[in-house]
Amino acid sequence: MLDKPFDKINKDSSPLIDPFGRAISYLRVSLTDRCDFRCVYCMAENMTFLPKADVLSLEEIETLCASFINLGTKKIRLTGGEPLVRKNVLTLIKSLGSKIGSGLEELTLTTNGSQLSRFSEQLYDYGVRRVNVSIDTLNPELFKKITRWGDLEKVLNGLKSATRAGLKCKINAVALKGVNENELQSMIEWAHNEGHDFTVIETMPMGEITEDRTDQYLPLSMVRAKLREKFTLTESEYKTGGPARYVKIEETGGRLGFITPLTHNFCESCNRVRLTCTGMLYMCLGQDDSANLRKELQQGKTGIELEEAIREAISRKPKGHDFEISRRSSGPAVKRHMSVTGG
Ligand code: SAM
Ligand code: SF4
């Protein structure tokens, strides 16, 4: 049923190049703004989610992905909200996975891990080979405090299922001042010992939350300095197509990534755009300019017409964001939550 959009592929399309000469080959797609967790840095506990009628159908998401693949997208990352709580998500994953090797090179997911015990084997069968699993602490009580609704044991069981199924898992942790700051070192040792890469993320000022972001913000320059006291960090050229910069930790032999939107702007090599579950294409995570691709679909545009709309949007991709967490009184840099744009 979901095969149709790919029939309309125009083989002559030239790839997407933005005004700064960056080839856009990486699409992140937020499948839903909903989530079974309520992480303190990401959402308010009493979040109001989008009405279902505003959310793209899986067929619409697939049509848009097909256009992007035709325009040179090599990598698609499904995210959210929690992508694996979207109803019938496997139908979309199966269909997108069937395009690996025909333009698409990689289909990945960022997940909180809560559903991995259920889905890992099928994810592998449908072509997913790598997933990012977000775990900010290995302390069950603290995990509950950070995620509000999450259960660490369930996530760790999910991670084991994923590994057993053959998925390469990278652990993502947001660095939170005074929360998991002293645990990052032991988490890295644990992850590397289990065979997982590990990435630390700086908190980004996105969306209104209950907490004060200046209280949460921990610059990764400080994390790096602290880790240096314990580990030998060797710069690495390793790249996954995402924004992380990697080092090798000599003592563990594992890789450690840093995503540093605030202390080190990663925009110059940005190859990404983001599609929200409502069909808005954001050319930059940290800017408000967008293109309403759902409207184009509703006007009946497909094939070349839809691709033209995407090209027009890419011609507006800005040079970079200007996130800043400085004054206590200042609100978020962008009003939408990370769960809307997709992390
Ligand atoms: N629910 C999935 C998960 O948690 O992995 C996917 C969506 S989540 C928005 C993607 C990533 O963004 C997670 O690793 C999460 O920790 C991170 N994140 C959420 N809000 C953030 C913020 N304000 N600053 C930095 N990272 C954030
Ligand atoms: Fe949900 Fe992921 Fe946001 Fe946590 S970070 S609330 S798991 S979307």
Side-chain angles (χ1 to χ4, degrees), residues 41-42 79-82 110-112 134 174 202-204 213 338 343:
Y41 49 77
C42 179
T79 177
E82 174 47 41
T110 300
T111 171
N112 65 22
S134 304
V174 175
E202 255 169 11
T203 52
M204 294 173 232
R213 288 195 193 275
M338 183 73 109

Side-chain angles (χ1 to χ4, degrees), residues 30-38 43 49 52 55 58 78-90 93 109-116 118-119 123 149 154 277 339:
S30 176
L31 298 185
T32 174
D33 64 327
R34 286 162 202 260
C35 187
D36 51 346
F37 291 6
R38 291 289 182 279
M43 293 189 184
F49 292 109
K52 291 227 167 87
V55 175
L58 293 178
L78 304 177
T79 177
E82 174 47 41
L84 295 179
V85 302
R86 173 87 197 236
K87 206 168 160 208
N88 296 328
V89 65
L90 289 179
I93 293 176
L109 271 113
T110 300
T111 171
N112 65 22
S114 69
Q115 310 299 315
L116 280 176
R118 283 166 68 199
F119 291 141
L123 290 177
W149 296 4
K154 199 170 166 194
C277 58
S339 52

